[in-house]
Amino acid sequence: MQKKWLYRLILSYLPILFAVVSCLVIVFFMTLNETVRKQTLRANEIYAQNVVQVVDTSLRGIETPTIKGLLLNDRVGGFFQEMQGSTPYRDYGVTEALLDFMSPLPMIDSVYLYRRADDKVLMQSFSSSLPSFGDKAFIQRTLADPAVPVWSGLRQMQLFPGDREPRAVVSLSKAVPYFSGEQGLIVVNVRKESIQSMIQEMSRENVDVCIKDRVGGIIGGSEQSCSDEGGREKISLTSAYTGWNVEVRLAGVGAFSLLSAFSNLWALLGFAAIIGGIAAMTYISHRHYRPLGQVMNRITALAEQHRERGILTPGSSDDEFAFIERSLEKLIEQANDYERQQAEGLPYRRAHMFKELMEGSRDMRPEEWSRERESLGMGGEWEGIVVGIVEIDAYTSLSTEYPARDLALFKFMLRSVIQEIADDCGEPLWTEWIGPDRLGLLYRRRPDADRPIDPARLAAMARQAGGWLKQNAKFTATFGFGSAAEDLPGVSASYRKALAALDRKVAEGPDRVYVFGRAGEQVGAGGGMDALVQAVREAALAFRLGSDEWEELVERFFALIAADGCSKEDIVRLLKLLEAQFRREMQELPPPMQEIWAGCTLRGIPASTADFEWIGELRGPLLESLREAEGQLREGRMNREHYDLANRMKAYVAEHYGDPDFSLTHISEAFEGNAKTISRIFKEEIGEKFVDYLARLRMEEAKRLLVESDESVQTIAEKVGYLYPMSFIRVFKKLEGVTPGEYRKERQGGESKQKRGG
C-alpha cells in the first residue's frame, strides 16, 4: 500500500507558507493604516473645532438679538413692568415684537415671556398662566437655580398639558432684569431639527458627528453616529460657550481598524513564522501520520483474520482512506437502515400518544406505559404533570394573509420559542400540535423537584414567550393552563381545565395567559342571563329617550358578558338580541325619527362565531355606530318644533315626580297648555306616554333606594310619589316582575356574593 496520505499531509502544510507571507502583507498595510489613521484623527480634530465654532456662532447669533431685540425693547420691558396686569392691546404689541424677533431667525421654534408679578406667560400667539402652562417645570427649575447655563441641554417641551407629542428643543433663558431676574424670564426655544440640519450641511463623507449636552442627551446626530460600538476612535471637544460636547467618529472602521491594535512586534513574528513553519511542517506531518499508521495496521490484521467472511484486504494501489471508506460504507449503510426503520412513524406515534393522554381514551398499565415511553424516547418521571394549550391569535386572518409555507414557519417559531424557554428553565416539556392553531403543552416535574410544578411559574414562562413573539413575530398567542395532575390518569382532567381557562379569551382578550382557578375566573359572577337581558332593555330604552346613560348601560352589558364567561355562541345571540331590542324601541319614535334610524347601520353585530375572537373586537365598532346614530337622532330632534318644550317638561317631571298629586294636569298648568296637546307632544318627542314615563322614573329611583339604603318599602313608596304602599308594590311588580322586597333581597344578596368571590 502506497503512503499517499503522508505526502498529502506534507503538501497540506504548504498553505502555512502562504499564511506567513500574508502576515507580512498585513504588517505592511498595518503600518500604512497607522499613518493614515493619525492623519485622519488630525483632520477630524480640525473638523470638530469648526463644528464647535459654527454651532457657537449660530447660537450666539440668537442670544445677541435676544438681548438687543427683547431685553432692550420698550414694549417687552413694559410688559414686565406692568404690576396691575396688562391689556389685550399692550399684549398685542408685545406679540408683534416677538414675531419681529423670530422672523429673521428660522432656527427658533418658539419664544415666551414669563412675568413673576402675576405668573403670566405670553407667547407670540397666545397667553396663559403659569399653573396651566405646559412648560411650567422648566420655568420653575430655571428660577430656582440662578447658576443655570445660558443654553439648556436637550429637553422635551410641551407648551400645553394636552399636547400629544412633545417637541425636542434646547432653550436660551434670560433673566429680566439681566442680573437680578426679579421681574421674570425670556425663554427662546430652538428646535433640535434645526441644529441637526446645520450639522448635516457641514457633514463630510465617512465621518459621523455627534453633539451631546452636559448630561449626554443627543442634540445633533443619530444613535448610531453617537455609538462607540466597533471600537471606533473619536475626537471629543467641549464648547466653552454652551458646555456641549462635540464628538467626531469615522463612519466605517473597515478592516484596517483591527490592524491598528497590532504593534511592530508582529513584523518580527512574521519572519519567525516563516522559518518555524517550514521547519515544523515535516516534523508535524510525520507525527500526525503515526496514529494513522497504527490504525491501518490493526485494520489489516483484522481483515486477515476474517478473510473467510469475504472482507477484502487493502490492495497495492489503495491508499489509507480508500480502504477505510470501503470498510465504513457497509457499517454506515447498516446503521442508516436501522435508524430509518426506527424513525419511520415515530412523530405520528408520539402525536397519537399525546392525543390519547389528553382525551383519556386509553387506559394503560404502568408497565405498558413504561415500555411505550421508552420506545418513544421519553424517559424520566411522569408525575406532577401540568397541561397547557397555546392558541395562535387571529389564525383565520393569518391564513388569509400568509401562504401555507409562512404559516408553517410561524408554527415552528412558536414551538421552538416555548421549548427553548422551558429548556432554559429546566422544565421537561412535551409539545404536539392538537389543531390547526393550537399547540398542546405537557410539563413534567423536574427530577430534582419534590412537588408538582407551580402553574404560576409556567404562566411566567408563557408571558416571556408571548413577549418575545410580540417583539419579533408577526402574530401573538394566548396561553391556557390547567391544574397539576398527580398521576397519568389525571392528565385528561388537567387538559379540560386548560381548555376552560383558554375559553376566557373570548371575554378578556387575546395575547394573555390564563390559569385555571385563578382569582377573577368567577364564571356566573355577572348575574346570569336575566341581568344581561335587563341591561339590553335598559340601554335600548335610554337610547330611545335620548338619555346620556345609554353608553354606560352598553358598557355594563359588555362587562356582564365578561363576568359571566359567556361562550361565543351566547355572545352572538346576545348581540342579536341587543340589535332587535334597539330596533323595537325605535319603533316608538315618531315616523321622521324612525326614518333616521332606518338609515343607520349597527356595526359589531357578528353573523357567526367565526367573525370574531373576543368581545373587544365588537365593542368599539358597536359603540361608534351607536354614537353616530345618536348624533343623527339628536340633530333630527333639535330640528323639530317642540324639542325644547319636551326637554323642559322632562326636567319638570324629574323635579316633581315625588309629589303624590303630580299628574298630567299639573304639567299642563305649569306650561300653560292643553292636557291633550301636552300628552301628544310628550309622546311624539320623548317616545313614551306621560303616565308610563312617570311610572318608570319613579321605579328607577325606587330601585336605587332599595339597593343603596335600608329604608322600608313604605318610606320609599312615599319618596317616589305613592301614598299607598300597595299601589307602589303593584306598579313595581308590573314593571319589574318581582315585588320590592324580592328585588332588594336579590340585588343585595348578589352584591355580597360578588364581594366574597373577589
Side-chain angles (χ1 to χ4, degrees):
M1 183 174 61
Q2 299 178 5
K3 296 183 178 181
K4 296 180 180 180
W5 176 241
L6 174 62
Y7 303 117
R8 288 181 182 178
L9 284 177
I10 296 175
L11 294 176
S12 66
Y13 281 93
L14 287 179
I16 297 177
L17 179 62
F18 295 101
V20 173
V21 174
S22 299
C23 290
L24 297 178
V25 175
I26 292 175
V27 169
F28 167 78
F29 283 105
M30 178 193 66
T31 306
L32 180 63
N33 177 74
E34 184 67 18
T35 303
V36 174
R37 185 185 66 85
K38 292 180 180 179
Q39 294 178 355
T40 302
L41 290 178
R42 177 56 185 163
N44 288 346
E45 182 178 3
I46 297 173
Y47 176 57
Q49 293 173 355
N50 293 336
V51 172
V52 171
Q53 182 178 3
V54 170
V55 173
D56 289 354
T57 302
S58 299
L59 296 181
R60 289 182 189 275
I62 295 176
E63 181 184 12
T64 301
T66 301
I67 298 173
K68 294 181 179 180
L70 295 181
L71 281 176
L72 304 180
N73 187 280
D74 294 336
R75 287 179 290 183
V76 175
F79 169 81
F80 287 101
Q81 294 173 2
E82 292 173 355
M83 304 301 294
Q84 301 300 327
S86 58
T87 64
Y89 176 76
R90 293 178 179 176
D91 288 350
Y92 177 74
V94 177
T95 58
E96 282 188 332
L98 295 180
L99 291 173
D100 293 339
F101 164 73
M102 292 178 59
S103 60
L105 300 171
M107 293 180 65
I108 295 178
D109 175 80
S110 59
V111 180
Y112 63 83
L113 311 178
Y114 165 68
R115 186 168 60 201
R116 274 191 171 186
D118 55 355
D119 280 347
K120 182 172 183 177
V121 179
L122 181 64
M123 286 191 64
Q124 67 270 19
S125 58
F126 77 100
S127 63
S128 176
S129 61
L130 182 61
S132 60
F133 187 52
D135 208 21
K136 175 180 67 176
F138 177 74
I139 295 176
Q140 294 174 342
R141 187 166 59 250
T142 304
L143 294 175
D145 186 6
V148 68
V150 176
W151 286 94
S152 72
L154 182 66
R155 66 189 190 91
Q156 302 296 324
M157 179 185 71
Q158 284 183 297
L159 296 178
F160 303 99
D163 282 353
R164 293 184 178 179
E165 296 183 359
R167 289 174 284 183
V169 299
V170 295
S171 300
L172 168 70
S173 56
K174 288 295 182 180
V176 181
Y178 187 84
F179 294 102
S180 64
E182 298 175 352
Q183 295 177 352
L185 282 176
I186 297 176
V187 179
V188 180
N189 301 305
V190 175
R191 292 185 295 271
K192 172 187 175 182
E193 292 79 4
S194 300
I195 298 177
Q196 288 182 333
S197 299
M198 180 174 59
I199 298 304
Q200 290 176 357
E201 293 176 359
M202 300 174 56
S203 63
R204 296 168 50 193
E205 187 177 0
N206 296 329
V207 173
D208 287 337
V209 180
C210 176
I211 300 179
K212 297 181 179 179
D213 58 20
R214 296 175 181 82
V215 296
I218 299 176
I219 299 175
S222 62
E223 291 287 345
Q224 181 179 2
S225 62
C226 296
S227 172
D228 290 328
E229 293 181 359
R232 299 189 298 172
E233 295 189 46
K234 67 179 180 181
I235 298 297
S236 180
L237 295 178
T238 301
S239 171
Y241 171 57
T242 61
W244 298 348
N245 193 39
V246 176
E247 299 175 355
V248 178
R249 298 175 176 83
L250 291 177
V253 294
F256 290 108
S257 61
L258 182 62
L259 299 178
S260 60
F262 292 84
S263 64
N264 293 331
L265 179 62
W266 285 101
L268 297 177
L269 294 177
F271 288 107
I274 295 175
I275 299 174
I278 296 174
M281 189 166 49
T282 304
Y283 170 78
I284 294 175
S285 298
H286 282 279
R287 185 179 182 85
H288 285 178
Y289 184 79
R290 192 176 305 161
L292 182 62
Q294 295 175 356
V295 171
M296 289 300 304
N297 292 334
R298 295 184 62 181
I299 293 176
T300 302
L302 183 63
E304 291 291 340
Q305 295 176 5
H306 296 83
R307 184 185 299 273
E308 67 279 1
R309 298 183 181 180
I311 301 178
L312 298 178
T313 57
S316 58
S317 60
D318 291 337
D319 60 18
E320 299 89 335
F321 287 101
F323 175 70
I324 294 176
E325 181 180 4
R326 292 204 321 271
S327 301
L328 293 179
E329 279 180 355
K330 185 68 174 178
L331 178 62
I332 294 174
E333 182 180 354
Q334 294 176 352
N336 288 339
D337 290 341
Y338 178 77
E339 291 179 359
R340 185 165 52 254
Q341 293 173 1
Q342 292 294 321
E344 285 179 355
L346 184 61
Y348 171 78
R349 290 169 55 202
R350 288 170 62 97
H352 184 68
M353 177 60 66
F354 191 92
K355 183 178 180 181
E356 288 182 336
L357 289 176
M358 297 298 106
E359 296 176 352
S361 59
R362 181 178 177 183
D363 187 14
M364 289 184 292
R365 295 186 300 275
E367 57 274 12
E368 181 182 0
W369 167 242
S370 177
R371 290 194 304 269
E372 189 71 27
R373 71 170 188 260
E374 289 298 332
S375 65
L376 297 176
M378 301 172 60
E381 297 290 335
W382 282 85
E383 297 178 352
I385 299 171
V386 176
V387 176
I389 302 173
V390 188
E391 183 175 80
I392 299 176
D393 298 328
Y395 185 78
T396 303
S397 60
L398 283 175
S399 302
T400 306
E401 184 178 356
Y402 294 97
R405 182 177 180 181
D406 290 347
L407 292 177
L409 179 61
F410 292 163
K411 292 182 179 181
F412 173 78
M413 183 188 305
L414 174 63
R415 190 173 187 176
S416 300
V417 168
I418 295 174
Q419 186 69 58
E420 183 176 347
I421 292 176
D423 294 342
D424 291 342
C425 297
E427 300 293 348
L429 172 63
W430 181 10
T431 63
E432 294 291 344
W433 287 100
I434 57 177
D437 58 342
R438 286 188 173 184
L439 178 66
L441 312 176
L442 194 149
Y443 290 90
R444 295 179 289 156
R445 184 169 60 193
R446 296 194 304 269
D448 58 343
D450 56 354
R451 56 184 178 180
I453 185 172
D454 184 8
R457 173 177 171 82
L458 300 183
M461 295 163 55
R463 281 189 286 271
Q464 181 181 354
W468 188 93
L469 291 174
K470 187 180 296 183
Q471 292 180 1
N472 300 279
K474 298 180 181 179
F475 65 96
T476 58
T478 303
F479 294 76
F481 290 97
S483 57
E486 291 297 332
D487 50 16
L488 202 63
V491 171
S492 60
S494 180
Y495 172 69
R496 290 191 296 271
K497 292 177 181 179
L499 287 173
L502 191 63
D503 286 341
R504 291 164 51 193
K505 169 183 175 180
V506 177
E508 300 181 34
D511 192 21
R512 298 182 64 178
V513 179
Y514 301 104
V515 179
F516 183 83
R518 286 294 184 88
E521 188 182 344
Q522 302 293 334
V523 177
M529 189 60 66
D530 292 340
L532 286 164
V533 173
Q534 182 65 23
V536 168
R537 292 174 179 172
E538 293 176 356
L541 179 60
F543 187 86
R544 173 172 64 83
L545 297 178
S547 172
D548 294 336
E549 296 178 356
W550 71 265
E551 188 166 351
E552 180 181 348
L553 292 170
V554 174
E555 293 280 12
R556 179 172 174 268
F557 167 71
F558 279 100
L560 288 173
I561 290 178
D564 279 341
C566 295
S567 64
K568 280 191 172 184
E569 292 78 7
D570 291 338
I571 292 174
V572 172
R573 288 193 292 268
L574 286 169
L575 287 174
K576 289 184 177 180
L577 172 64
L578 181 142
E579 182 182 28
Q581 187 66 30
F582 268 73
R583 185 168 57 251
R584 189 178 301 111
E585 288 290 342
M586 294 304 106
Q587 292 175 358
E588 299 294 330
L589 294 176
M593 306 302 292
Q594 293 185 28
E595 292 179 2
I596 294 176
W597 171 257
C600 301
T601 302
L602 288 187
R603 300 183 295 274
I605 307 295
S608 66
T609 57
D611 294 341
F612 70 102
E613 277 209 341
W614 73 295
I615 57 175
E617 301 174 6
L618 310 175
R619 173 184 163 276
L622 178 59
L623 286 174
E624 184 64 27
S625 59
L626 285 174
R627 292 190 192 104
E628 294 173 0
E630 180 193 30
Q632 297 180 28
L633 290 172
R634 184 185 298 112
E635 183 178 355
R637 288 190 178 104
M638 294 178 65
N639 292 332
R640 293 178 62 83
E641 179 181 358
H642 301 295
Y643 176 72
D644 292 336
L645 176 61
N647 281 336
R648 287 189 286 117
M649 287 193 294
K650 283 176 61 177
Y652 188 82
V653 173
E655 184 177 355
H656 296 86
Y657 70 90
D659 184 0
D661 297 326
F662 186 71
S663 65
L664 184 61
T665 304
H666 287 77
I667 195 170
S668 301
E669 293 175 354
F671 288 91
E672 299 178 354
N674 181 272
K676 292 184 178 180
T677 304
I678 294 296
S679 177
R680 178 179 56 81
I681 294 175
F682 209 92
K683 172 64 175 175
E684 290 180 354
E685 298 299 331
I686 298 179
E688 195 172 13
K689 293 180 180 180
F690 171 78
V691 176
D692 295 338
Y693 181 81
L694 178 61
R696 185 180 57 79
L697 195 61
R698 288 173 170 175
M699 292 306 105
E700 290 296 328
E701 177 63 15
K703 288 192 294 183
R704 186 187 67 81
L705 293 174
L706 286 169
V707 175
E708 299 179 1
S709 71
D710 296 328
E711 296 178 344
S712 65
V713 174
Q714 181 177 355
T715 302
I716 294 174
E718 293 174 355
K719 284 188 174 183
V720 298
Y722 289 91
L723 290 176
Y724 304 104
M726 292 305 298
S727 299
F728 167 69
I729 294 173
R730 184 174 62 256
V731 175
F732 191 96
K733 186 172 183 179
K734 178 182 178 182
L735 294 180
E736 301 298 330
V738 293
T739 64
E742 293 172 346
Y743 180 86
R744 168 178 279 174
K745 184 177 180 180
E746 290 177 359
R747 290 306 174 98
Q748 291 183 345
E751 288 183 359
S752 62
K753 181 179 178 182
Q754 290 185 19
K755 291 179 181 178
R756 291 194 301 271

